[in-house]
Amino acid sequence: MKRQRARRRTLLITFLLLTIGSMSTAMAELRSEEISYSADGVTMKGYIAWDDSVEGQRPGVLVVHEWWGHNDYPRKRADMLAELGYTALALDMYGDGRTADHPEDAQKFMQELTDNLESSRARFDAALAQLKAHDTVDTNHIAAIGYCLGGGLVLHMARYGADLDAVASFHGSLPLAVAPDGEGAPVTARVVAYNGEADPFVPQEAIDAFQREMEVAGADYQFINMPGAVHGFSNPAATDNGEKFGLPLKYDALADESSWAHMRLLLQTAFADEG
């Protein structure tokens, strides 16, 4: 118990050091719009956000939703990224903006994607093209972040050589990063996987397999276990969903804020290194 408290204190100190000294910018003028686009023969519903007070083009970031689908949560993250000066597109992987209110439906929708990963990659690429087409976006500076299913998908895209500067996975499905023999490509994106240390959905074997895969692919990667956190640690709705459906889901404010602060540094350094 003492060791656990000490580790969480260390995490808090890290978070404070990452955020202290951050400079405030001019008053944000956030803009957003709903967009529709086609992918894999399906109409997709996305949400794009940017800060109109930022002059010129700026990096773009894709946000990939949890297994619940394109609901308010990825849109909130897109707004947060816009506040940081990026243009962010919360994409739709299920099509027609479908969302799930029950784990059985979420599992069904997710299975459709994971059973046909070639189609999933096409849907991701269609959203990437939409983001690059926005007139505020510097097409040479693109990243992707994802949560739960979406975290696994951004790792998957990195493993298949997607042209991204960085990817960040929050409590993501690590097995999606492992490419079958003969598939995949060298990983050119910087990769960070934020994992709940106490997440029962992520056994040690999955972590070991993910790390081996990143080594094989020559990735510049980090795997960060968030002390004491379980699945869904970044989403404030996780606790209610966990209690409602009897699932090991729980929000952890410290893990959420610390991983987000670290992701901010990841994006800053990745985009800076790309010139």
Side-chain angles (χ1 to χ4, degrees):
M1 190 59 130
K2 289 183 179 178
R3 182 182 178 187
Q4 182 70 19
R5 287 198 297 267
R7 295 181 71 182
R8 290 182 70 81
R9 283 198 299 272
T10 300
L11 187 57
L12 176 60
I13 291 169
T14 301
F15 166 64
L16 292 173
L17 289 174
L18 287 168
T19 55
I20 285 174
S22 60
M23 301 296 291
S24 61
T25 57
M27 183 65 70
E29 297 178 13
L30 292 188
R31 299 286 184 268
S32 64
E33 63 181 4
E34 312 274 346
I35 63 170
S36 294
Y37 57 100
S38 296
D40 192 37
V42 178
T43 298
M44 322 300 284
K45 302 294 180 64
Y47 172 88
I48 194 163
W50 68 98
D51 182 352
D52 232 12
S53 71
V54 176
E55 296 184 1
Q57 294 182 321
R58 77 295 308 262
V61 184
L62 290 172
V63 183
V64 191
H65 54 74
E66 300 173 290
W67 73 337
W68 304 110
H70 181 97
N71 55 24
D72 289 340
Y73 182 62
R75 293 176 176 227
K76 168 192 168 184
R77 292 298 184 179
D79 287 341
M80 291 172 68
L81 287 162
E83 290 171 354
L84 295 177
Y86 305 120
T87 294
L89 170 60
L91 56 80
D92 174 15
M93 289 298 295
Y94 290 158
D96 296 320
R98 289 185 297 168
T99 60
D101 295 319
H102 192 281
E104 290 182 1
D105 294 325
Q107 178 66 33
K108 177 184 175 182
F109 293 161
M110 181 179 73
Q111 198 69 44
E112 291 174 4
L113 290 180
T114 56
D115 283 348
N116 189 346
L117 287 171
E118 183 176 357
S119 172
S120 297
R121 292 193 292 273
R123 294 183 180 194
F124 183 96
D125 286 340
L128 178 59
Q130 287 293 313
L131 178 63
K132 287 184 173 182
H134 200 267
D135 60 10
T136 64
V137 174
D138 178 351
T139 59
N140 294 314
H141 295 82
I142 305 291
I145 70 171
Y147 298 84
C148 184
L149 165 67
L153 288 172
V154 299
L155 295 175
H156 180 81
M157 294 306 300
R159 182 64 183 93
Y160 277 73
D163 186 18
L164 300 166
D165 294 331
V167 301
S169 166
F170 298 83
H171 42 88
S173 176
L174 299 181
L176 285 175
V178 180
D181 290 342
E183 294 190 18
V187 176
T188 58
R190 288 194 182 186
V191 174
V192 180
Y194 305 101
N195 184 66
E197 182 185 47
D199 189 341
F201 294 130
V202 185
Q204 186 60 47
E205 309 89 81
I207 296 172
D208 293 342
F210 166 74
Q211 293 180 319
R212 284 195 301 269
E213 190 77 5
M214 292 296 100
E215 297 290 342
V216 167
D220 177 357
Y221 81 98
Q222 289 179 281
F223 177 82
I224 301 177
N225 256 337
M226 311 306 294
V230 298
H231 200 70
F233 63 77
S234 73
N235 190 341
T239 302
D240 286 344
N241 283 329
E243 293 173 352
K244 182 178 180 180
F245 299 114
L247 294 172
L249 308 174
K250 188 175 182 180
Y251 177 64
D252 187 313
L254 181 56
D256 173 25
E257 294 167 1
S258 299
S259 57
W260 184 260
H262 189 278
M263 180 220 68
R264 289 177 61 178
L265 290 183
L266 167 70
L267 296 183
Q268 290 168 8
T269 56
F271 292 141
D273 284 354
E274 289 297 314

Coordinates of all heavy atoms in Angstrom, one line a residue, residues 44 49 81 96 98 115 126 169 192 199 221 231 235 268:
M44 N -19.8 8.1 -43.4 CA -19.3 8.3 -42.0 C -19.6 9.7 -41.5 O -19.7 10.6 -42.3 CB -17.7 8.1 -42.1 CG -17.2 7.0 -43.0 SD -17.9 5.3 -42.6 CE -16.9 4.9 -41.2
A49 N -12.7 20.2 -35.3 CA -12.7 21.4 -34.4 C -11.3 22.1 -34.6 O -10.3 21.4 -34.8 CB -12.8 21.0 -32.9
L81 N -8.0 19.3 -28.1 CA -6.9 19.5 -29.0 C -6.9 20.8 -29.7 O -5.9 21.4 -30.0 CB -6.9 18.3 -30.0 CG -6.4 16.9 -29.3 CD1 -6.9 15.8 -30.2 CD2 -4.9 16.9 -29.1
D96 N -22.3 5.9 -40.3 CA -23.6 6.5 -40.0 C -23.7 7.0 -38.6 O -24.8 7.2 -38.0 CB -24.8 5.5 -40.2 CG -24.9 5.1 -41.7 OD1 -24.7 6.0 -42.6 OD2 -25.1 3.9 -42.0
R98 N -23.1 5.6 -35.8 CA -23.6 4.6 -34.9 C -22.9 4.6 -33.5 O -21.7 4.7 -33.5 CB -23.6 3.2 -35.5 CG -24.5 2.9 -36.6 CD -24.4 1.4 -37.0 NE -23.1 1.1 -37.5 CZ -22.7 -0.2 -37.7 NH1 -23.5 -1.2 -37.4 NH2 -21.5 -0.4 -38.1
D115 N -12.8 -8.0 -37.4 CA -12.9 -9.1 -38.3 C -12.5 -8.7 -39.7 O -12.2 -9.6 -40.5 CB -14.3 -9.6 -38.4 CG -14.7 -10.5 -37.2 OD1 -13.8 -10.8 -36.4 OD2 -15.9 -10.8 -37.0
A126 N -9.7 7.2 -45.0 CA -10.7 8.2 -45.5 C -10.8 9.4 -44.5 O -10.9 10.5 -45.0 CB -12.0 7.5 -45.7
S169 N -2.0 5.9 -27.6 CA -3.1 5.0 -27.3 C -3.4 5.1 -25.8 O -2.5 4.9 -25.0 CB -2.7 3.6 -27.7 OG -3.6 2.6 -27.1
V192 N 3.3 6.0 -28.2 CA 3.2 5.9 -26.8 C 1.8 5.2 -26.5 O 0.8 5.6 -27.0 CB 3.2 7.2 -26.1 CG1 3.1 7.0 -24.6 CG2 4.5 8.0 -26.4
D199 N -5.4 -3.0 -15.2 CA -6.5 -3.4 -16.2 C -6.5 -4.9 -16.5 O -5.6 -5.4 -17.0 CB -6.1 -2.6 -17.5 CG -7.3 -2.7 -18.6 OD1 -8.1 -3.6 -18.4 OD2 -7.3 -1.9 -19.5
Y221 N 9.2 3.9 -29.4 CA 8.0 3.8 -28.6 C 8.2 3.8 -27.1 O 9.3 3.6 -26.6 CB 7.3 2.5 -29.0 CG 7.9 1.3 -28.3 CD1 7.3 0.7 -27.1 CD2 9.1 0.6 -28.7 CE1 7.8 -0.4 -26.5 CE2 9.6 -0.4 -28.1 CZ 9.0 -0.9 -26.9 OH 9.5 -2.0 -26.3
H231 N -9.2 -0.2 -16.8 CA -9.7 0.1 -18.1 C -10.6 1.3 -18.1 O -11.4 1.5 -17.2 CB -10.4 -1.1 -18.8 CG -10.5 -1.0 -20.3 ND1 -9.4 -1.1 -21.1 CD2 -11.5 -0.7 -21.1 CE1 -9.7 -1.0 -22.3 NE2 -11.0 -0.7 -22.4
N235 N -11.8 8.3 -19.2 CA -13.2 8.7 -19.5 C -14.0 8.9 -18.2 O -14.2 7.9 -17.5 CB -13.8 7.8 -20.4 CG -15.2 8.3 -21.0 OD1 -15.8 9.2 -20.4 ND2 -15.6 7.7 -22.1
Q268 N 4.1 17.8 -29.2 CA 5.0 19.0 -29.4 C 6.4 18.6 -30.0 O 6.9 19.2 -30.9 CB 5.2 19.7 -28.1 CG 4.0 20.5 -27.6 CD 4.1 21.0 -26.2 OE1 5.2 20.9 -25.6 NE2 3.0 21.5 -25.6

